[in-house]
Amino acid sequence: YKEFYRKVFMDYKEPLFWIHLNMDYPFNLKGILYFPKINTEYDSIEGTIKLYNNQVFIADNIKEVIPEFLLLLKGVIDCPDLPLNVSRSALQNDGFVQKISEYISKKVADKLTGMCKTDRESYEKYWDDISPFIKYGCIKDAKFAEKMGDYVLFKNLDGKYLTLKDCIEENKKETEETEAQTEEKKEDTAESENKDNAEAKEPEKTVIFYVTDEVQQSQYINMFRAQGQDAVVLKHNIDSPFITQLEQRYQNVQFQRIDADVTDNAKEEVAEDEKEAFQKTVDSLTATFRKELGNDKLDVKVEKLKDSNVASIMTLSEQSRRMQEMMKMYGMDSMGMDMGGENTLILNANHPLVQYVQKHEDGENTSLICKQLYDLAMLAHKPLNPEEMTAFVQRSNDIMMLLTK
């Protein structure tokens, strides 16, 4: 098999595994489909499937015969029953050709699900390489998506592979533990009971948190770990449309990147007798940061975060992020819409730097601190542009110079 692969496709890398197709009824078909190691650094992934009729080569990558998502693979298929006329119009109107396509798709799904059931270890080993192909197949082919539903894996922060059902179960456990802790602190009042009953009527959604860059989002990951929460890693460009499709299929599931908002677990509640004073702090910090950053529309939120090491973080709503990703796919990234006005600066009222700004609205170093906290928060989302990075480096030098005085 490997020698044949190297000879036909001139590929020095060995395939991950392969599927042997062999059918006599209702049509004649033989073939081999190889799963190559996909390089996820590149946006476009293209395979080659050669089509033959009685060992006579017809053409490569005939989309009407081979399901579109399988064109990511490499392989050879020989089908004597195929018409020699492979014009697009002829094939599109040929019901027999459609059956061949459905059969090939079914065989691939059977092979993958069988591997997951009988050799989970190998399936997990291959998963990172074959997941873009499987996810693309789920988006393009509803029947394939249905067959693969319980065999799509998600890698969590600890490198453990989970199915969607596993993710939902783990999420429920975390939620139940959090609710139990919250109930212990709550006063058993009629008001809170009424509120809980009203909320219970609303359809509950299981939120599955995810990360796209374990290095860039490390600050958020550390906060999640401290809260005893988990997230899955979705770093391929196919993941965004894939999770959107999953949400459409499973109405009770919602995916959210861990920096889309600050979870309740990460925040301390503001005591009733402190709320008025805290609101004044919020108003003061909002006004100061807007003034120093020269942005009177900047969205600022002040929270009492449990992690006292975190001074500021940036959040971007899941809906806004997906909209930006969609625009990027259509080449609209250069229209100045990147993070434009949609991001929210979260300030930790428990951090000394934030407290300094609150107490020294017109202090000598207030402007320096505001700008630095904003850039540090933004860095967890995306690289700064050249002008922002130049200013950030210069400001960092100025801050170090202050230490020498």
Side-chain angles (χ1 to χ4, degrees), residues 67 69 98 102 105 109 134-149 245 249-250:
F69 67 94
Q98 182 62 32
E102 288 174 0
S105 178
I134 292 176
K135 290 170 182 176
Y136 185 55
C138 290
I139 292 170
K140 289 291 182 182
D141 187 328
K143 288 183 180 178
F144 183 80
E146 191 176 336
K147 284 181 176 292
M148 293 302 302
Q245 188 229 38
R249 288 176 58 209
Y250 303 97

Side-chain angles (χ1 to χ4, degrees), residues 197-213:
N197 291 335
E199 288 174 354
K201 292 176 184 176
E202 296 176 7
E204 289 186 9
K205 281 200 174 189
T206 301
V207 178
I208 298 174
F209 294 98
Y210 68 95
V211 301
T212 56
D213 189 321

Side-chain angles (χ1 to χ4, degrees), residues 5 9 32-36 38 44-51 59-77 88 101 104-105 108 132-134 136-137 140-141 144:
Y5 178 78
F9 301 105
I32 309 167
L33 293 178
Y34 291 94
F35 285 69
I38 295 172
S44 59
I45 306 164
E46 189 177 346
T48 304
I49 296 186
K50 297 179 177 295
L51 204 59
D60 286 333
N61 298 348
I62 301 295
K63 293 180 180 179
E64 285 69 31
V65 180
I66 314 297
E68 185 181 353
F69 67 94
L70 289 179
L71 295 176
L72 303 178
L73 305 184
K74 295 183 178 181
V76 175
I77 291 175
R88 192 179 185 92
S101 178
I104 295 171
S105 178
V108 170
F133 145 77
I134 292 176
Y136 185 55
K140 289 291 182 182
D141 187 328
F144 183 80

Side-chain angles (χ1 to χ4, degrees), residues 205-224:
K205 281 200 174 189
T206 301
V207 178
I208 298 174
F209 294 98
Y210 68 95
V211 301
T212 56
D213 189 321
E214 291 160 284
V215 175
Q216 197 167 49
Q217 293 150 25
S218 58
Q219 183 184 41
Y220 301 90
I221 291 172
N222 292 335
M223 288 175 64
F224 254 60

Side-chain angles (χ1 to χ4, degrees), residues 289 292-293 366-376 392 395:
F289 271 81
E292 298 301 341
L293 294 166
T366 298
S367 178
L368 205 65
I369 293 171
C370 288
K371 290 172 181 174
Q372 197 74 353
L373 287 179
Y374 181 86
D375 280 355
L376 286 169
F392 176 76
R395 200 182 312 117

